[in-house]
Amino acid sequence: MYENKERELKLLLSRQKYDEILSSCDFPVCRTQTNVYFDTPDSQVRDAGCALRIRTTKDTRIFTLKKRIDPITLIELERPVDADTIATIRDPQVLSWLTEYHIPVQKLQPVASFTTTRRLLKLDHAELCLDQTTFAHHTDYEIEYEYFEDHDGVRAFNEFLAPFGLRYEKNCSSKIARAMKD
């Protein structure tokens, strides 16, 4: 089981800037992941400030429940599962999280699905994720700075971005929010 606070800064990129960063930096890890998000027909999960997903990477599935705390911090509860839908999960820990956050399992249904090619670069205090995400009707490009430990992440992220003529300013919503607009 994984339970932590996730802090991340995100910046949407043009395809040109994405390609420039990709060709200038060594991202030693590359993986393709498919995310399926779940909610109730009346958006109870979203309205509670949460997101639910099952992420599939090769033969691994991870259930994730995220709860927003502030603009850059989330509580993230994760657990490997052997199901590809919420309805078929029998894991007692996952079911207890859903109960704790008052999420009605029987009403959950898939609301969005998309595939991301993620390139990873580990830094001293964080991880850079360079993402190309294919939604139903478009593809977008994003760089994320995900904290491992407390530090001035905005300054560190801006130091990385500066050679590319970029500066962090919140310019995008979450992938699930972008998928729902698709």
Side-chain angles (χ1 to χ4, degrees):
M1 173 187 73
Y2 312 105
E3 182 175 344
N4 61 21
K5 286 186 179 176
E6 176 184 72
R7 298 187 75 206
E8 61 186 15
L9 306 170
K10 300 174 176 232
L11 184 66
L12 276 179
L13 302 170
S14 67
R15 173 66 192 252
Q16 179 183 0
K17 286 296 181 183
Y18 171 88
D19 288 340
E20 184 181 343
I21 293 169
L22 183 58
S23 66
S24 299
C25 301
D26 180 28
F27 287 86
V29 176
C30 180
R31 67 176 177 241
T32 299
Q33 53 196 38
T34 299
N35 298 287
V36 179
Y37 281 80
F38 299 84
D39 204 340
T40 62
D42 58 351
S43 303
Q44 290 179 31
V45 175
R46 185 193 68 204
D47 292 348
C50 296
L52 289 178
R53 76 168 178 234
I54 295 177
R55 172 177 284 166
T56 303
T57 307
K58 291 186 182 177
D59 296 327
T60 302
R61 291 185 190 97
I62 303 288
F63 167 88
T64 305
L65 185 153
K66 293 185 179 190
K67 170 78 172 157
R68 176 126 342 253
I69 296 175
D70 63 42
I72 62 169
T73 309
L74 302 159
I75 292 174
E76 184 176 76
L77 305 171
E78 291 190 320
R79 189 158 173 96
V81 294
D82 59 4
D84 57 2
T85 67
I86 300 289
T88 58
I89 292 176
R90 300 291 175 249
D91 184 289
Q93 181 64 67
V94 170
L95 296 174
S96 74
W97 291 334
L98 295 171
T99 299
E100 179 182 343
Y101 285 91
H102 309 289
I103 298 170
V105 177
Q106 67 282 7
K107 293 183 180 179
L108 292 172
Q109 60 189 26
V111 294
S113 179
F114 50 85
T115 300
T116 299
T117 299
R118 172 164 280 186
R119 291 170 170 84
L120 300 168
L121 173 62
K122 292 197 186 251
L123 305 172
D124 288 338
H125 305 292
E127 184 173 75
L128 280 172
C129 304
L130 189 64
D131 292 348
Q132 176 180 335
T133 301
T134 303
F135 298 97
H137 297 101
H138 77 284
T139 297
D140 71 23
Y141 307 90
E142 170 185 77
I143 190 163
E144 293 182 12
Y145 185 88
E146 295 187 9
Y147 294 61
F148 289 144
E149 56 189 62
D150 282 339
H151 66 285
D152 187 351
V154 173
R155 182 190 54 74
F157 192 29
N158 279 329
E159 286 176 3
F160 176 85
L161 294 171
F164 304 102
L166 297 169
R167 182 163 178 78
Y168 171 72
E169 59 183 68
K170 186 173 171 117
N171 74 346
C172 67
S173 54
S174 66
K175 285 182 182 76
I176 180 61
R178 297 193 317 263
M180 297 302 287
K181 291 179 185 177
D182 208 14

